[in-house]
Amino acid sequence: MKPMGALPPEFAQQDGLLAIGGRTAANWTAQAGDTPLFVYDMEIVAARIARFRAAMPAIDLHYAIKANPHADLLTAIAPLVDGLDVASAGELEKALTFKPAQAISFAGPGKRDDELVVAISAGATLNVESEGEAARAFAIGERLGQTPRMAVRVNPDIELRGSGMRMGGRASPFGVDAVRAAALVKAIVAAGADWRGFHIYAGSQALDAGAIVETQAATIALAARLADEAGCAPPLVNLGGGFGVPYFAGDVALDVERVGDALAESLAARPQTLADTRFAIELGRWLVAEAGVYLTRVIDIKQSQGETFVIVDGGLNHQLAASGNFGTVVRRNYPIAVASRMGDLSTEPVTVVGPLCTPLDRLGDKVALPSVEVGDLIAIFMAGAYGASASPAAFLGHPPAIEIVTGL
Ligand SMILES: Cc1ncc(COP(=O)(O)O)c(C=O)c1O
């Protein structure tokens, strides 16, 4: 038997039939007409956002739409956040239907010229990742007769300790090394662009509040130092994000209130250069992961060499992350349950696999589940972020997962 992550608190106390947004899993699949299916409960997202606002000092909250770009989810989340962060012209075009361009920032190395054209024409902020990108943006701005809005994405000389994905403190394709950032700011200002400030993103999926507190304090100090070097105060410092969620056994949820208290102190004591600066945090998974449940139906159950395999109709083609193939070194089990037997004592370990012809297609590895029958619905939790849009949906030609947003 291998451990699995704890069910999110919103679902952990349920007995009998799994309910999502007040309706049973079976009810959702009946409405959808088929499985597999993602259900995203926006009441859970709204509660997360309310918790963030209560915990944090007066800063902006941006949603990184890469975590879940479903249009109905964006409709519901956009009014609750101050900005949207995008990573391609495709995401930008989507975001522009929900927020004015001034509230949208575009990060990502390798922005193509046609993407810069879309962003500059719309008036979105480019989080500029290199001197070369800045030069292309100036030229495009001139050609369009439009002043580009540009923030400098800094590759910080700090890393976010304990983060699942580190994006600072090392050689990186993301951002401009801190030692060259001030020179780039000067060039942007000299070129007459609208300099919006700094974007400093040090990592993702951190559960250790102490590490986030440390990184945020170092980020504020770095922004102040760079602003002094550049000789101009940034209108905005985007402190990055990195708030993680507990996917696996032993993970403990992030103490956001502790992060908020420490950030309030750091901001109160910030250097004079940043006195008039606004601050933002950009989050993806922390806002939406726990709100999503993936429901997949048992097609077959079979034994092989003493092991029980539960074969379901959805797999890594929709849930790459839950299968352990999205940036994790060691495969571990997401929280998983039988939707009609919530709270039942587990019987024997089973391995839950998808229909794809690859041993990578494993949604639960020797997990303890109540007895399962063909036709049952299996629920995989923590499915609201990096699910449908981050999985190879075309692989092996199965239909895409259905997605339903509730609690709008
Ligand atoms: C620049 C940037 N912003 C936001 C995010 C969202 O991260 P998360 O979903 O972990 O909050 C990422 C993730 O890679 C990122 O690279």
Side-chain angles (χ1 to χ4, degrees):
M1 188 125 67
K2 294 188 180 167
M4 67 165 94
L7 267 52
E10 292 81 359
F11 303 101
Q13 303 308 321
Q14 296 191 5
D15 274 326
L17 303 180
L18 169 64
I20 310 160
R23 290 169 59 182
T24 64
N27 200 290
W28 284 120
T29 55
Q31 177 183 317
D34 205 354
T35 50
L37 170 72
F38 286 91
V39 185
Y40 311 120
D41 183 354
M42 294 312 295
E43 282 186 15
I44 296 178
V45 175
R48 303 288 283 192
I49 293 173
R51 182 173 163 206
F52 178 93
R53 301 277 191 204
M56 293 290 150
I59 58 168
D60 290 347
L61 172 61
H62 293 188
Y63 174 53
I65 81 169
K66 59 167 72 88
N68 189 329
H70 192 274
D72 293 348
L73 186 139
L74 291 177
T75 305
I77 203 171
L80 306 178
V81 297
D82 306 297
L84 297 175
D85 288 290
V86 301
S88 68
E91 283 195 350
L92 173 58
E93 275 162 10
K94 224 171 198 185
L96 281 167
T97 60
F98 299 102
K99 280 279 187 208
Q102 297 75 9
I104 300 174
S105 54
F106 181 3
K111 299 183 192 76
R112 296 152 46 119
D113 281 1
D114 54 1
E115 295 187 300
L116 295 176
V117 167
V118 174
I120 294 168
S121 316
T125 298
L126 292 169
N127 287 333
V128 172
E129 309 258 353
S130 73
E131 291 86 350
E133 183 185 313
R136 288 190 292 125
F138 297 148
I140 288 167
E142 211 164 282
R143 206 174 72 224
L144 296 173
Q146 229 153 329
T147 309
R149 288 165 70 88
M150 295 163 122
V152 170
R153 180 167 181 185
V154 182
N155 172 28
D157 31 26
I158 36 182
E159 67 174 21
L160 177 52
R161 265 194 304 116
S163 59
M165 203 185 344
R166 287 183 198 161
M167 296 172 96
R170 55 185 62 201
S172 169
F174 308 112
V176 179
D177 288 352
V179 289
R180 297 204 313 275
L184 182 54
V185 171
K186 285 185 191 161
I188 287 174
V189 173
D194 180 6
W195 180 53
R196 304 308 308 152
F198 294 113
H199 176 244
I200 306 179
Y201 195 90
S204 260
Q205 180 52 17
L207 291 170
D208 178 354
I212 293 181
V213 166
E214 215 175 77
T215 301
Q216 288 180 341
T219 302
I220 293 165
L222 174 61
R225 197 185 83 213
L226 296 177
D228 286 340
E229 271 177 45
C232 37
L236 180 80
V237 172
N238 182 326
L239 297 167
F243 291 21
V245 291
Y247 291 113
F248 306 118
D251 283 356
V252 177
L254 176 67
D255 184 349
V256 172
E257 287 68 26
R258 186 174 152 207
V259 174
D261 289 348
L263 182 58
E265 278 179 33
S266 297
L267 289 183
R270 68 187 182 270
Q272 188 54 33
T273 325
L274 303 180
D276 297 324
T277 298
R278 281 199 71 73
F279 292 84
I281 285 185
E282 70 183 44
L283 300 178
R285 74 188 76 213
W286 191 84
L287 297 178
V288 295
E290 273 134 317
V293 182
Y294 179 70
L295 299 170
T296 177
R297 200 176 291 285
V298 178
I299 301 287
D300 198 2
I301 298 175
K302 66 189 198 188
Q303 310 289 326
S304 172
Q305 304 200 6
E307 207 174 315
T308 305
F309 288 89
V310 171
I311 299 158
V312 293
D313 62 3
L316 70 75
N317 50 326
H318 306 148
Q319 275 284 57
L320 191 68
S323 75
N325 294 294
F326 189 65
T328 41
V329 179
V330 180
R331 197 213 164 281
R332 289 177 291 171
N333 290 316
Y334 271 39
I336 178 165
V338 181
S340 54
R341 289 182 203 96
M342 296 293 286
D344 269 19
L345 289 180
S346 54
T347 50
E348 51 162 342
V350 296
T351 291
V352 180
V353 300
L356 308 189
C357 296
T358 161
L360 299 179
D361 193 14
R362 193 169 281 238
L363 295 174
D365 188 18
K366 300 190 181 72
V367 285
L369 290 183
S371 65
V372 187
E373 289 164 21
V374 169
D376 278 344
L377 289 172
I378 299 288
I380 312 228
F381 297 89
M382 311 298 290
Y386 305 109
S389 69
S391 302
F395 183 45
L396 297 197
H398 291 276
I402 299 160
E403 295 177 273
I404 294 186
V405 180
T406 182
L408 298 171

